[in-house]
Amino acid sequence: MTKPLDSVAAEWTLITGGSHGIGLALARECLRQGLGVAIVALPNQDLAEAVTELRPLASGKLRHYGIDLTASGAVVRVLHWLEEENIQVTYLVNNAGFGRGGLFEHTVWEEYQRMLQLNNQVMTELIYRLLPQLKVRSGGILNMSSMEATLPLPYKTVYTGTKAFVYNFSLALREELRHHGVSVSVLCPGPVITNEDGLRRVEAQGARARLLVTMPDDIAPAAIHGMLSGKAVIVPGRLIRLLILISYLTPRPWRMRILEKLFSRYRNDALTEVSGAVPVKTDTYSS
């Protein structure tokens, strides 16, 4: 099979979960910056629609691969696909992930297992296996965390735990890889509306939540600029940065009581019962 010449010439960005929401906005911004974009996402209608939308911006520098990244051997299959497409990755954007709120025991274990795998294990394995390419090309890594990485939220226990792992792992790995010419950045947005379900949840939480939320296209330019410039921690929005600062300055016992009070509606939320648990769409919210 003849390899596309532009695959060799372009600086390619691999974006997981790039078919909708934040991932799609990041893909769009990378194309605007002249980067080739290789999207890996679930093989569904979102991916087909994303490719249709992005193709006019791509100048031939767009590839896509539909796969469930939590499936056994998925990361290895992604690497084989990149090899078939003759793509050498310069930038890796680990965006795929999902979250869920509710009492800890009211979510089925299989959903927690998938969350841990997608938010943490897949990200770590992709970096591990692509690191040789990234070193050769003096590339960069952008990992999706959240402002909640610094806020251990009651009723979002596992999700905030996964994002704290992303945050700490990214900063530690950054120090290791700075001696090898590879930059690691971590993105910590506040609440981001990525679909109608997320919008309904924000509206249900009232004016306070609406004050904090942003749209994917609002954070993508800062995220990609931060990755390309090698910034360590990217926190889009002055209000979000202020809230993180205040949280650091607040004594931990007070902070935890305040956080529990803010999310106390989950205590008796019937929608969080195991019998009614519905898997959240990947990248439904990122805070």
Side-chain angles (χ1 to χ4, degrees), residues 61-72:
K61 298 177 182 178
L62 177 66
R63 302 289 185 272
H64 63 281
Y65 183 46
I67 190 172
D68 180 353
L69 285 169
T70 64
S72 177

Side-chain angles (χ1 to χ4, degrees), residues 204-260:
Q205 293 179 25
R208 183 186 69 242
R210 290 194 294 272
L211 182 64
L212 296 177
V213 299
T214 55
M215 302 301 290
D217 286 334
D218 295 331
I219 69 171
I224 298 305
H225 179 268
M227 177 187 74
L228 295 177
S229 61
K231 189 174 183 179
V233 180
I234 305 165
V235 184
R238 292 180 180 178
L239 181 57
I240 300 301
R241 291 195 292 270
L242 177 61
L243 289 174
I244 291 174
L245 175 61
I246 291 173
S247 74
Y248 276 125
L249 298 176
T250 304
R252 181 176 55 80
W254 297 2
R255 183 168 70 245
M256 295 309 301
R257 295 300 180 273
I258 292 169
L259 291 173
E260 196 280 335

